[in-house]
């Protein structure tokens, strides 16, 4: 979806797509940490006819670069994916709820310590998102910040829950017999 969106914005080469994703902090919501994953995705999009090669060029001492553009089929597929992703909640399996499901694998004190570490990480992430939003609103329209707003809301909700769970573990409002 991210690569189709960028190719629809303007024809560009894979390296530029990866750069823009990072510059725009979209790597917070799409996994393109490995350059190879971008190239593999481009190959799939090409094979499926969702993008096409516009041109291939080489500038001086730089490697050859292939510029891709969105096809009409790619544009319609992107729109359909977006409608579905926005309208239909999907079953996702994040690690944290799975860890909560098996909390008794740890001793209550050990679980509390791990959750306290998570609180600190969430506080750091929340502060970073607040800064990103404050800085972003100075030069970007809100439409380009909505995913950061969502992430901040999710981090804030998780932080509130985890703080409560830590407190419940601290006061023994929730506990278990550790037997592993």
């Amino acid at each position: 979806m991210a690569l189709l969106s960028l190719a629809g914005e303007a024809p560009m080469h894979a390296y530029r797509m990866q750069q823009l994703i990072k510059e725009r902090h979209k790597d917070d919501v799409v996994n393109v940490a490995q350059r190879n994953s971008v190239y593999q995705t481009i190959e799939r999009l090409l094979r499926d006819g969702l993008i096409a090669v516009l041109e291939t060029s080489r500038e001086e001492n730089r490697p050859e670069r292939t510029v891709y553009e969105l096809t009409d089929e790619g544009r319609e597929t992107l729109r359909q994916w977006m409608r579905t992703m926005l309208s239909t909640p999907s079953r996702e399996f994040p690690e944290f709820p799975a860890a909560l499901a098996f909390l008794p694998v740890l001793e209550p004190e050990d679980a509390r310590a791990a959750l306290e570490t998570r609180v600190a990480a969430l506080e750091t992430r929340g502060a970073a998102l607040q800064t990103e939003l404050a800085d972003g609103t100075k030069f970007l329209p809100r439409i380009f910040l909505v995913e950061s707003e969502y992430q901040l809301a999710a981090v804030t909700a998780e932080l509130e829950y985890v703080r409560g769970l830590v407190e419940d573990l601290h006061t023994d409002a929730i506990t278990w017999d550790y037997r592993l």
Side-chain angles (χ1 to χ4, degrees), residues 59-177:
E59 295 176 16
E60 296 181 15
N61 295 332
R62 294 181 166 246
E64 189 175 82
R65 292 205 169 153
T66 303
V67 175
Y68 303 95
E69 65 182 348
L70 192 63
T71 64
D72 289 340
E73 183 178 354
R75 186 170 286 104
E76 187 50 41
T77 298
L78 174 60
R79 288 180 181 138
Q80 187 55 47
W81 284 350
M82 286 296 298
R83 287 181 197 109
T84 300
M85 292 169 69
L86 288 170
S87 67
T88 310
S90 65
R91 281 188 61 174
E92 297 174 353
F93 300 95
E95 290 179 358
F96 184 56
L100 290 174
F102 298 98
L103 205 55
V105 167
L106 297 175
E107 294 181 40
E109 299 79 24
D110 192 10
R112 187 180 78 234
L115 289 166
E116 287 170 343
T117 300
R118 187 177 192 91
V119 164
L122 289 168
E123 288 171 341
T124 299
R125 179 67 180 135
L129 284 164
Q130 287 174 335
T131 299
E132 182 180 311
L133 283 166
D135 292 347
T137 57
K138 294 175 185 172
F139 61 91
L140 288 172
R142 182 173 174 219
I143 188 64
F144 296 112
L145 300 168
V146 293
E147 78 276 4
S148 295
E149 290 176 358
Y150 173 79
Q151 287 177 307
L152 180 59
V155 165
T156 301
E158 183 178 334
L159 182 56
E160 180 182 341
Y161 175 79
V162 176
R163 281 180 176 150
L165 187 56
V166 166
E167 181 62 24
D168 288 346
L169 286 164
H170 183 69
T171 63
D172 291 331
I174 183 172
T175 191
W176 56 91
D177 291 327

Side-chain angles (χ1 to χ4, degrees), residues 3-4 41-51 81:
L3 299 182
L4 283 179
T41 302
I42 285 174
E43 287 303 315
R44 227 174 31 250
L45 295 172
L46 274 169
R47 184 181 63 239
D48 294 344
L50 303 179
I51 61 172
W81 284 350

